[in-house]
Amino acid sequence: MSPAQQPHPSQLDPGPGPKDVVPSIAERYMVDEGVVRRLMDQLRGTCATACSFDIPELGGRGQWSPGHVTGAPGADHSLRMRIDGLCSELAALIRGMDTAAPEALAGDPHTAPVGSRFDLAAGPSWWPASFGVPASSGDQHGVRFAFFPHVKRLLIQKGAHIDAHDTADYTITGMARAQGSSALTFDSNRGPVGLDQLKCVPVA
């Protein structure tokens, strides 16, 4: 192709840009996208170590640091857990970490974590509120799970990432590691079942 035939730089396809994860996070935590972006701006200013907010959707004025939510007098326990989950997830994203565990986020933000997995406290702060209450949930080696039989879904959280699996006719009662393997295995009404036996589906 001659120079005269070369496409102008403005005509070149720049390719897909980085995915904006804010909309999906806002949907899962049931807050406006603007709230999520304001929290991200706050967290960026502190290297993702803390943030202050005054947001009606989050119970009013409060502060967050890894594993702690203070203030927000209008916030009940469930809302405080949701605030902690939201801020922890955003902090992990900002710092490029694969875990939102308080033990990891409380470390020096300028140094990489020693390990990539930390034990996480299971709770109602990480799964989409639309799923309701799980029949079983827990955590092991930095991986959380929650099973929702009414929608036949098993949710798995690793750091700031959540996967959903169709459980079909399985009833998940607990998590276990396959001996000698890093693969996730779950106890069920039909015996041990691995994630490779369950179809991965969109979370929404």
Side-chain angles (χ1 to χ4, degrees):
M1 181 181 291
S2 67
Q5 296 174 308
Q6 291 285 349
H8 188 275
S10 63
Q11 297 175 304
L12 295 175
D13 182 2
K19 181 181 179 181
D20 183 5
V21 297
V22 168
S24 64
I25 292 175
E27 182 178 3
R28 282 195 285 109
Y29 287 95
M30 300 180 70
V31 295
D32 290 336
E33 289 183 27
V35 169
V36 177
R37 296 188 192 281
R38 290 203 301 275
L39 289 174
M40 289 191 78
D41 288 341
Q42 279 266 350
L43 287 164
R44 286 192 182 100
T46 66
C47 295
T49 59
C51 72
S52 299
F53 55 86
D54 187 0
I55 301 171
E57 291 174 85
L58 301 181
R61 187 186 302 273
Q63 295 87 36
W64 171 87
S65 59
H68 301 282
V69 177
T70 58
D76 58 20
H77 178 71
S78 177
L79 180 54
R80 287 177 184 272
M81 292 290 287
R82 188 153 58 98
I83 293 169
D84 185 40
L86 171 58
C87 292
S88 295
E89 184 168 335
L90 294 178
L93 289 170
I94 291 169
R95 290 169 62 171
M97 303 175 74
D98 62 356
T99 175
E103 295 89 341
L105 295 174
D108 185 341
H110 301 292
T111 60
V114 175
S116 62
R117 293 283 179 83
F118 297 81
D119 287 339
L120 305 175
S125 61
W126 62 271
W127 56 75
S130 59
F131 277 72
V133 179
S136 60
S137 63
D139 64 279
Q140 187 178 110
H141 304 298
V143 179
R144 302 184 196 186
F145 83 93
F147 169 58
F148 303 86
H150 57 290
V151 290
K152 297 184 178 181
R153 290 293 182 269
L154 174 66
L155 300 188
I156 306 294
Q157 184 192 41
K158 298 179 182 180
H161 185 74
I162 297 176
D163 286 320
H165 297 265
D166 186 342
T167 56
D169 57 350
Y170 288 98
T171 298
I172 305 299
T173 57
M175 182 196 297
R177 291 277 185 177
Q179 190 171 8
S181 171
S182 61
L184 292 178
T185 303
F186 295 86
D187 298 321
S188 80
N189 59 320
R190 297 172 57 192
V193 56
L195 280 184
D196 58 346
Q197 297 172 255
L198 304 176
K199 182 181 179 182
C200 190
V201 295
V203 174

